[in-house]
Amino acid sequence: MSSSTGELPPTKKAGNKAKKLKVNMTLAKYEVIKKIARDRGWKMVTDEEDKAAVATCTLHWIDVPDFLSTFKHMQPFQKVNHFPGMSNLARKSKLARNFQRMTKLFPTQYDFCPKTWILPFDYTEFSQQFNADGISQRAFIIKPDHSCQGRGVFLTKNLKDVNKTDIFVAQRYITAPLLISGKKFDLRIYVLISSIAPLRVYLFQDGLVRMCTADYTAPNADNMELKFMHLTNYAINKRSNNFEKNKDEAQDGAGSKRSLRWFLSWLETKFDKEAVAALWDGIGDICLKSILAVQPTIAQEYQSTFAKFAKKVDDDGANINANSSSFAVLGMDVLVDEHLKPWLLEVNHLPSFHCDSPLDWNIKERLLSQTLDIMQISVDGKSAHDSAHLKHVARRLYGDKADDNNANPDATDGPETTSRPADLSRADLSTALHAFYTDMNPDKCKDIELIVAKFEHNQEELHKSLVAKYAKGVFDYAPQWDGEELVDFVRLYPPPVPTQKNAIYKTMLEACQSNIQDQLMRLTAPLHRKGEDGTKLPPLSKGGNKKELGRDCFGYTGTDKVGHLEIKEKKPLPMPGPAQVAAAARLMLGHSSKHDIPLPIRPMSQNTAPPPRRDSVQYGMAYRERLEGLKNKPTVAMTQITFGGFG
């Protein structure tokens, strides 16, 4: 009905409704991720309410271990906050095996984990740490392989306390940790893996300091069972009467749980700034090396799981995170000893995001919100995938003509032009100069602040002067961020500024990938015949110690032999001559093999009739006539046959 003025009332168009990004929260149990989704205006769906919406959602967020079924139903435009195969990093026994393998390749680089034994497999070697009575002067911490939050963990100096049937991980207890107010603590470090192939790793520059609630004393017979003294797990210490809860995020240096930023500032009051910076670099170093040890295994499982989702990566690498179907936020537990050396205790692929204090909300909300920004999660993911799919189908049907029709007619091929990089920010310029002088002239590192102040607005002149002197300039060491907007994160791999020091990471990754390929060859090569497809077993490194020989792909010794693994040309066996054949015949008949004893003639059985003699056949005209006669001759005599009876 029209109005009194004769004008039609305005109507809302369906197309004007803004799209909302849908996130599957069926298996999400923490309130912080739900708050972030609400603040961003996302639509949270569950399979109980709307299964159709779950099938078209952009993000699956999972906070429980049961996420394998999600991989089977994912679409190419969807993301999930877990990688397949993360048990290789999170399970204590598998992580220990991976570290043992990497220790053989890089003995001096993988010394950041306490000496570990996997029980009961390494029980014999572990028992050598005790005397004849089963007592040791050292303390060992025993952890169940599959548990978390400190469940089932205990300290012991007696071998009888260790169960021989269940799977445990035994580690040497670090008896001289760094203390805060007389209490032991560890650090919860958050690491983001945004892509596994190619690898992208980021370090969150904040975290949690989890403190014990009882003053520390070295393990002895009287305090071995005091978990509030020796175990730093928050799930254990929060039940203590001495636990101090944080009540204000601004006061992050008080209570039994504190922030990592406060810890680093507190350290600078106790130690030199260079030592504190070296500690933070060391923490990032051990976190990255832990991931490098398992990257080939996880990448193989990721590619087999999402093989149908293969996506093209841009040359500049700007869409690596956007094209990754998985990402993961890991919680790594690091202990610092009194010499400021970091020790990796364990890795959690399902870290707790429960927030029961203002400090938790401040740290974990920033962590997860910035993680979603780095992953470039967009509501247009499905439409972009559908458009790319249509272009792919058109290209398969019409070839290059489809690309020619979509090409810009105004675009013309012109000469290539090279432009110098844009001026760096003050922070990036300082980072680039530090990396440059570390490689070229370490003595100049102390003058970096003066150089930055002088050439901040004249970087081109600085670059040319350095090139003239060192053949490289400051722009060659400029951080490469691939269009990332990082706030509290810093990229660990690939390093933003390649230097001689961090070049070892690429070498480690390549060596680990090659080692995994060699192990696969050892498993699959015996299934192929020699010379087929060029299959050849990789050589084993021969050492003087017998334990270094004959290792299988899991690192166990004595399961194979080097001689059997090496491919050797086998000489053909000599053929027996007439004399050997005759001797073998004599032995089979029960007689001597000597030539001077004649072989007895076996009498023929009386019931055995001699074979009938056949007439010789003359192949000629007579033979052909005989064949023609046999064609008309019936093979069976025809007689009258009556079926049934009538009577």
Side-chain angles (χ1 to χ4, degrees):
M1 180 181 295
S2 61
S3 62
S4 60
T5 59
E7 296 180 357
L8 295 176
T11 59
K12 294 183 179 180
K13 295 183 180 180
N16 292 337
K17 188 176 181 181
K19 294 182 179 179
K20 283 190 175 182
L21 189 146
K22 290 180 288 188
V23 53
N24 180 16
M25 292 289 188
T26 304
L27 300 177
K29 66 177 184 178
Y30 297 117
E31 185 61 29
V32 60
I33 186 63
K34 298 178 182 179
K35 179 180 181 300
I36 293 173
R38 286 193 297 266
D39 294 343
R40 293 174 176 243
W42 292 356
K43 181 180 179 181
M44 293 181 285
V45 297
T46 60
D47 56 4
E48 293 89 355
E49 300 174 355
D50 190 353
K51 291 187 177 181
V54 171
T56 59
C57 69
T58 304
L59 173 64
H60 296 275
W61 190 271
I62 303 175
D63 292 322
V64 297
D66 186 17
F67 51 79
L68 296 180
S69 59
T70 305
F71 298 143
K72 301 178 182 179
H73 304 95
M74 283 185 60
Q75 300 298 322
F77 58 87
Q78 295 178 331
K79 294 182 185 296
V80 63
N81 63 322
H82 293 285
F83 283 96
M86 286 302 293
S87 62
N88 294 281
L89 185 62
R91 290 290 290 268
K92 301 176 181 63
S93 60
K94 292 185 178 182
L95 182 64
R97 287 296 184 210
N98 286 312
F99 281 176
Q100 291 174 3
R101 174 174 50 82
M102 293 300 293
T103 303
K104 300 171 190 174
L105 300 175
F106 303 95
T108 60
Q109 298 291 335
Y110 280 81
D111 59 347
F112 52 83
C113 187
K115 177 64 177 176
T116 307
W117 295 267
I118 303 174
L119 307 177
F121 310 106
D122 300 336
Y123 186 84
T124 302
E125 182 181 354
F126 178 65
S127 61
Q128 297 175 1
Q129 306 297 317
F130 300 82
N131 59 18
D133 298 329
I135 305 298
S136 175
Q137 296 298 325
R138 291 182 175 180
F140 299 90
I141 182 169
I142 313 298
K143 306 176 183 179
D145 183 38
H146 57 280
S147 69
C148 60
Q149 297 181 346
R151 289 190 291 266
V153 180
F154 64 94
L155 273 66
T156 184
K157 291 184 178 181
N158 194 334
L159 186 61
K160 295 180 181 179
D161 297 336
V162 181
N163 192 339
K164 297 182 180 180
T165 57
D166 296 336
I167 299 179
F168 287 91
V169 170
Q171 288 183 333
R172 284 180 181 170
Y173 187 79
I174 300 175
T175 57
L178 184 65
L179 304 178
I180 298 178
S181 301
K183 295 178 175 61
K184 181 182 175 182
F185 68 93
D186 72 350
L187 307 177
R188 169 55 61 91
I189 307 297
Y190 293 106
V191 178
L192 168 64
I193 305 178
S194 63
S195 174
I196 198 66
L199 183 64
R200 286 289 184 276
V201 183
Y202 302 85
L203 176 66
F204 190 62
Q205 300 184 100
D206 203 351
L208 295 173
V209 181
R210 307 181 305 175
M211 300 177 57
C212 290
T213 52
D215 291 342
Y216 176 79
T217 305
N220 54 51
D222 298 330
N223 64 16
M224 293 283 280
E225 298 181 358
L226 299 180
K227 292 187 176 183
F228 296 148
M229 177 186 296
H230 298 291
L231 302 185
T232 57
N233 303 80
Y234 169 73
I236 292 177
N237 286 278
K238 71 178 182 180
R239 298 194 296 266
S240 172
N241 296 329
N242 298 325
F243 183 82
E244 300 178 11
K245 194 172 183 178
N246 176 269
K247 299 180 180 179
D248 187 0
E249 65 179 57
Q251 298 179 357
D252 57 352
S256 299
K257 186 189 292 187
R258 307 180 185 184
S259 71
L260 180 61
R261 288 181 174 177
W262 169 87
F263 171 70
L264 295 177
S265 62
W266 174 80
L267 276 181
E268 292 181 354
T269 63
K270 305 292 183 179
F271 301 90
D272 296 335
K273 290 186 177 181
E274 292 78 8
V276 177
L279 170 63
W280 180 242
D281 291 341
I283 291 175
D285 178 72
I286 66 176
C287 292
L288 178 56
K289 289 177 181 177
S290 304
I291 298 172
L292 294 177
V294 299
Q295 187 273 342
T297 306
I298 299 178
Q300 187 177 21
E301 295 200 31
Y302 173 84
Q303 292 169 356
S304 62
T305 303
F306 301 108
K308 58 183 178 180
F309 298 167
K311 303 172 186 178
K312 184 179 179 181
V313 178
D314 294 343
D315 295 335
D316 58 356
N319 66 335
I320 289 179
N321 295 340
N323 286 345
S324 178
S325 298
S326 297
F327 64 97
V329 178
L330 306 178
M332 297 191 175
D333 297 337
V334 176
L335 180 71
V336 181
D337 65 14
E338 60 183 7
H339 302 293
L340 292 189
K341 177 179 179 179
W343 296 86
L344 181 68
L345 301 181
E346 60 183 44
V347 180
N348 299 273
H349 75 295
L350 282 169
S352 174
F353 296 126
H354 178 67
C355 300
D356 58 358
S357 67
L359 179 64
D360 283 328
W361 279 102
N362 180 26
I363 294 176
K364 296 177 182 179
E365 187 174 0
R366 286 188 290 116
L367 168 68
L368 299 182
S369 182
Q370 295 178 29
T371 295
L372 298 176
D373 292 337
I374 293 176
M375 295 309 302
Q376 304 176 25
I377 299 176
S378 172
V379 70
D380 299 326
K382 185 177 185 305
S383 59
H385 169 263
D386 294 340
S387 177
H389 180 68
L390 291 176
K391 290 181 180 180
H392 176 69
V393 173
R395 191 178 297 110
R396 293 189 61 184
L397 290 175
Y398 305 108
D400 296 335
K401 295 181 180 180
D403 296 335
D404 297 339
N405 295 334
N406 297 329
N408 185 5
D410 298 332
T412 57
D413 295 334
E416 296 183 358
T417 59
T418 58
S419 59
R420 72 171 183 85
D423 286 347
L424 305 175
S425 65
R426 186 180 183 89
D428 287 347
L429 179 60
S430 178
T431 302
L433 284 174
H434 186 273
F436 176 83
Y437 284 119
T438 299
D439 286 351
M440 299 299 177
N441 190 356
D443 296 335
K444 296 285 290 183
C445 290
K446 61 180 182 297
D447 301 329
I448 289 179
E449 293 183 1
L450 298 176
I451 298 174
V452 171
K454 181 178 180 180
F455 292 97
E456 181 180 1
H457 302 292
N458 195 5
Q459 299 180 17
E460 180 69 19
E461 180 182 351
L462 174 63
H463 177 74
K464 290 181 179 180
S465 63
L466 293 177
V467 170
K469 186 174 182 179
Y470 298 101
K472 287 186 178 181
V474 65
F475 293 144
D476 297 326
Y477 286 80
Q480 303 295 327
W481 299 111
D482 297 339
E484 302 159 330
E485 296 182 1
L486 305 179
V487 182
D488 294 320
F489 277 97
V490 62
R491 195 174 72 196
L492 292 180
Y493 192 89
V497 183
T499 61
Q500 296 177 1
K501 181 179 179 181
N502 57 37
I504 187 65
Y505 298 138
K506 185 177 181 181
T507 304
M508 288 180 181
L509 183 58
E510 293 175 351
C512 184
Q513 292 172 344
S514 176
N515 184 261
I516 293 295
Q517 292 299 324
D518 289 349
Q519 292 177 3
L520 292 176
M521 283 289 295
R522 294 188 189 280
L523 293 175
T524 59
L527 304 178
H528 303 281
R529 294 184 180 273
K530 179 184 175 182
E532 182 179 345
D533 299 332
T535 303
K536 186 177 180 181
L537 287 172
L540 286 176
S541 58
K542 298 182 179 180
N545 191 351
K546 292 184 179 180
K547 292 185 178 180
E548 298 178 2
L549 301 177
R551 294 182 180 272
D552 64 2
C553 61
F554 300 103
Y556 296 104
T557 58
T559 55
D560 53 15
K561 301 297 181 182
V562 179
H564 294 292
L565 290 177
E566 293 180 347
I567 297 179
K568 298 180 179 179
E569 294 292 337
K570 294 183 178 180
K571 297 181 180 180
L573 296 176
M575 294 298 295
Q580 287 83 2
V581 173
R586 297 174 191 273
L587 291 173
M588 292 178 63
L589 295 176
H591 304 287
S592 174
S593 61
K594 295 183 178 180
H595 295 280
D596 54 352
I597 301 179
L599 283 173
I601 300 176
R602 298 181 63 183
M604 295 183 60
S605 175
Q606 297 179 359
N607 298 328
T608 303
R613 295 183 58 184
R614 296 184 179 181
D615 298 336
S616 59
V617 179
Q618 300 295 329
Y619 294 97
M621 291 301 298
Y623 179 71
R624 295 182 181 180
E625 292 176 357
R626 182 181 175 185
L627 288 179
E628 289 294 335
L630 292 175
K631 288 181 181 180
N632 300 326
K633 184 178 179 180
T635 57
V636 180
M638 299 299 296
T639 58
Q640 185 177 3
I641 303 175
T642 303
F643 296 93
F646 301 91

